[in-house]
Amino acid sequence: MTMENRGPLKGIRVIDVSHQAAGPWCTTLLGDMGAEVWKIEKPGRGDAIRHARGADPKVGSFNFWGLNRNKRSVGVDVKHPAGVALLKEMAASADVVVENFRPGVMDRLGIGYEQLRPINPRLIYCAITAFGDKGPMAQNPGMDLILQATGGMMGLTGFPDGPPAKAAGPVADISSGIYAAYAIALALYHRTQTGRGQRIDLTMLDAVISLLADISTAHLNTGYDYEKFGNGHPDLVPYQAFKASDGYFVVACLSNAFFKRLCQGLKREDLLANPNFATNQARCQHRQEVVELLQALFLTNTCEHWITLCSAYDVPSCRVNSLKDLFAMEQLKAIGSVAEWAHPQHGPFRTMNVPIHLSETPGALRIPPPGLGEHTDEVLRLLGKTEQEINQLRTDGVCG
């Protein structure tokens, strides 16, 4: 499948030397917006996430598919001297290099920023690391679970009387990928003004902490040590999930006006006369009393009943969805969140669509998730290699 490329990054070439999730999500976002992405993978093995759930790595797991569209897979062994030379050739004509190895790995291979910059001063080099390239944790291994725990996210997730819990989605990986793509876009804009490339250092630790921007600032300036959030928020009541007779739903009273309307809908205006309920600050101070009263009431009917009531009184409310519930929503169809397209070898499949909507330069799902090394020969020809040279690189185990 090849769709028209109208994205704002059309003409930008990205060399993706990353693996797993954070780096690949960054380059997928760039590819969605029109960039030409060459995903460099070790011949015969590829990105480790290709193997998830026992999948054939030549095809790749659905986990791999979800993180790697709009890019070409190029089998190059960057630990082979000839592979290093090939990477340098690619970098000479590239706009961006993205990698997410531990600090120093790319330098030792001979393809770090300082080695590539003389070849191409316009190159934008983005290094995604767990903890940065300095400090006592610089060489520590880091993946999503480690960063959720280290970055405070896991310690605030779950219920106060229970163990810490990780977020279901890989929030450290995905947020790091988003920030890296954002940084690359900024560096590309800077280059249009100056003609110069630059190095980007993106730490997953910073990305995770930024997701706690409001409460971390409150802690830094007051010293207040938050308990785990449960399914609500420490500064708002009621703003959480409640159990109905047939499942869970959310009531989100972001302001006191919403709570007043909720009381009207419940025919419990008397609660507003109670000083423990009258203001959000008071309700936070008497959280257990408020929550227990509402919970007992909500158990008497269904999610649909309470959501309908809240809607009638303009109180934010929704069902707590399973994945099955989520992907049955008509709203996803209305905004085009799920795309149905076809893989040339493996037939129809569904995936999430491009999440950014631009009216003049829209992104598109142009290239299905690539097979391992599917585009090696195509890319080598673009580099000017002859068929004899390509065959020799394969024979020598450099490419695959």
Side-chain angles (χ1 to χ4, degrees), residues 324-340:
K324 183 178 180 180
D325 296 330
L326 168 65
F327 289 111
M329 288 175 61
E330 288 296 322
Q331 186 62 27
L332 295 189
K333 297 179 183 178
I335 61 177
S337 299
V338 177
E340 297 188 16

Side-chain angles (χ1 to χ4, degrees), residues 242-357:
F242 289 95
K243 188 175 182 180
S245 62
D246 64 344
Y248 285 87
F249 74 105
V250 160
V251 175
C253 292
L254 189 65
S255 69
N256 214 43
F258 287 126
F259 183 70
K260 290 179 180 178
R261 294 201 289 270
L262 176 64
C263 291
Q264 292 168 1
L266 297 174
K267 304 296 189 287
R268 291 298 308 268
E269 290 94 335
D270 60 295
L271 297 178
L272 300 173
N274 184 334
N276 293 353
F277 288 63
T279 67
N280 181 66
Q281 183 176 358
R283 292 192 297 275
C284 286
Q285 292 170 350
H286 299 88
R287 178 184 301 273
Q288 185 173 353
E289 180 184 356
V290 178
V291 170
E292 287 181 354
L293 187 152
L294 291 174
Q295 180 59 87
L297 181 59
F298 290 143
L299 281 170
T300 65
N301 219 315
T302 65
C303 289
E304 183 179 359
H305 171 85
W306 297 119
I307 292 169
T308 300
L309 182 145
C310 286
S311 179
Y313 284 84
D314 194 27
V315 176
S317 179
C318 69
R319 181 181 288 274
V320 176
N321 282 334
S322 65
L323 287 177
K324 183 178 180 180
D325 296 330
L326 168 65
F327 289 111
M329 288 175 61
E330 288 296 322
Q331 186 62 27
L332 295 189
K333 297 179 183 178
I335 61 177
S337 299
V338 177
E340 297 188 16
W341 53 329
H343 193 285
Q345 284 82 42
H346 306 287
F349 71 101
R350 296 197 299 162
T351 186
M352 300 309 298
N353 212 336
V354 177
I356 299 170
H357 305 279

Side-chain angles (χ1 to χ4, degrees), residues 3-14 26-38 69-72 95 188 354 356 358 361-367:
M3 295 181 66
E4 181 185 1
N5 187 350
R6 297 171 55 201
L9 295 181
K10 182 178 181 180
I12 296 297
R13 179 174 292 173
V14 178
C26 164
T27 55
T28 284
L29 294 176
L30 299 175
D32 284 354
M33 290 295 119
E36 177 186 0
V37 180
W38 295 355
R69 62 184 182 226
N70 284 334
K71 56 187 73 172
R72 291 173 168 81
D95 299 284
L188 287 168
V354 177
I356 299 170
L358 301 177
T361 53
L365 302 180
R366 298 174 290 108
I367 306 172

Side-chain angles (χ1 to χ4, degrees), residues 50-98:
R50 282 183 175 274
H51 301 253
R53 302 178 71 87
D56 178 357
K58 293 180 181 177
V59 177
S61 64
F62 284 119
N63 306 71
F64 173 86
W65 283 27
L67 295 166
N68 290 277
R69 62 184 182 226
N70 284 334
K71 56 187 73 172
R72 291 173 168 81
S73 174
V74 187
V76 178
D77 185 355
V78 296
K79 293 185 178 180
H80 193 292
V84 171
L86 266 181
L87 213 294
K88 288 181 175 179
E89 279 190 60
M90 294 178 185
S93 64
D95 299 284
V96 179
V97 167
V98 177

Side-chain angles (χ1 to χ4, degrees), residues 15-17 40-43 74-88 90 101 105-106 108-111 397-399:
I15 309 302
D16 178 6
V17 200
I40 309 303
E41 301 190 75
K42 185 176 178 62
V74 187
V76 178
D77 185 355
V78 296
K79 293 185 178 180
H80 193 292
V84 171
L86 266 181
L87 213 294
K88 288 181 175 179
M90 294 178 185
F101 292 103
V105 170
M106 291 284 281
R108 290 194 294 274
L109 290 173
I111 46 178
V398 178
C399 295

Side-chain angles (χ1 to χ4, degrees), residues 216-236:
S216 63
T217 302
H219 168 76
L220 288 169
N221 289 280
T222 67
Y224 183 75
D225 197 12
Y226 288 88
E227 287 189 322
K228 292 193 286 293
F229 278 34
N231 58 29
H233 193 284
D235 299 327
L236 296 166

Side-chain angles (χ1 to χ4, degrees), residues 124 182-192 194 196-198 200:
I124 293 159
Y182 170 57
I184 289 166
L186 294 176
L188 287 168
Y189 178 71
H190 174 262
R191 194 181 69 176
T192 65
T194 66
R196 298 194 304 274
Q198 61 182 295
I200 298 165

